[in-house]
Amino acid sequence: MYVSSRPAKTLFEKGFEMRRADVLRLAELSVGQFDALIARGLIPFTTPHRRGGWGDFTAEQAFRIGLFNALSGAGMPQARAAICVRADYGVLSAYGEASAREDRWFGSFSTVSKVAGEPSTKLHYVFATTLKNLRRDISQKLELAKDREQPTDMVLINATDVMRRMLANAAEHQIVDEDLVALAIRLGAS
């Protein structure tokens, strides 16, 4: 069993390290899959310096991998899922801060601009929401971007449920990590 004896950290602050094997167990990813993501530049965070196959990772990075898996499993192309999580994870963390104890949903939707009646530009909007606020939050994104087109497609995952599965994996594999628990509480998963 891996038990952390570190001081409490503030959420989303760069946390302490956990072993790669533990991160992969939490995120339900094999070593081969993980190495392929790194080789293809699809890991959803800045890749740590690796020492002979070993790496130091945080609970947040494990969660990012879980989000990436869920988005790509829901049909988002892997390259877009990696960019979505890597670049816009802050959207989820900011929404989590302001949201009540409802499940947080994370994903993106697209619009297609038309010029002379023909599709010309596809725009992607990343967002976090609750199901209750879904329509309002999409409308606000479109309004802020001054996009008059309606969404053409959407990939949306339950980020809180991703964390619940990670907590279940932690219990199953006897992984104890204070940062993971703090993140779960923040997302309403615990």
Side-chain angles (χ1 to χ4, degrees):
M1 175 171 27
Y2 171 73
V3 179
S4 171
S5 61
R6 39 195 151 122
K9 304 281 288 177
T10 60
L11 205 55
F12 299 105
E13 181 179 346
K14 183 159 177 67
F16 291 91
E17 296 84 27
M18 69 170 67
R19 299 179 319 198
R20 179 178 73 162
D22 290 336
V23 169
L24 298 181
R25 285 183 189 107
L26 292 175
E28 300 174 340
L29 200 68
S30 73
V31 171
Q33 290 170 315
F34 181 78
D35 288 343
L37 291 176
I38 288 177
R40 293 172 55 210
L42 296 176
I43 204 74
F45 50 83
T46 303
T47 309
H49 175 68
R50 295 184 57 184
R51 296 181 306 270
W54 293 92
D56 298 322
F57 303 92
T58 64
E60 179 186 309
Q61 290 171 327
F63 182 53
R64 285 174 179 244
I65 294 170
L67 292 172
F68 167 83
N69 279 342
L71 287 168
S72 60
M76 185 180 284
Q78 285 188 333
R80 192 163 128 214
I83 291 168
C84 180
V85 176
R86 188 181 304 127
D88 294 305
Y89 179 75
V91 171
L92 176 61
S93 64
Y95 196 89
E97 191 72 35
S99 178
R101 299 232 1 124
E102 296 178 60
D103 282 6
R104 276 50 154 224
W105 292 74
F106 180 66
S108 76
F109 64 91
S110 303
T111 63
V112 177
S113 298
K114 295 182 180 179
V115 174
E118 294 293 321
S120 65
T121 306
K122 188 168 190 171
L123 302 172
H124 302 285
Y125 298 91
V126 176
F127 68 107
T129 189
T130 61
L131 287 181
K132 181 174 87 175
N133 296 331
L134 179 62
R135 184 181 304 268
R136 180 202 70 194
D137 290 345
I138 289 174
S139 294
Q140 285 177 348
K141 278 278 190 190
L142 290 172
E143 201 173 294
L144 284 172
K146 300 195 182 330
D147 191 337
R148 298 195 186 337
E149 304 299 327
Q150 289 299 308
T152 57
D153 61 75
M154 181 182 317
V155 176
L156 190 63
I157 59 159
N158 186 332
T160 304
D161 192 58
V162 169
M163 179 53 74
R164 284 187 194 109
R165 287 194 316 271
M166 291 181 75
L167 288 174
N169 291 338
E172 178 183 338
H173 296 287
Q174 299 179 335
I175 300 167
V176 178
D177 186 275
E178 293 171 7
D179 290 341
L180 183 68
V181 172
L183 183 55
I185 290 168
R186 172 107 184 277
L187 288 166
S190 176

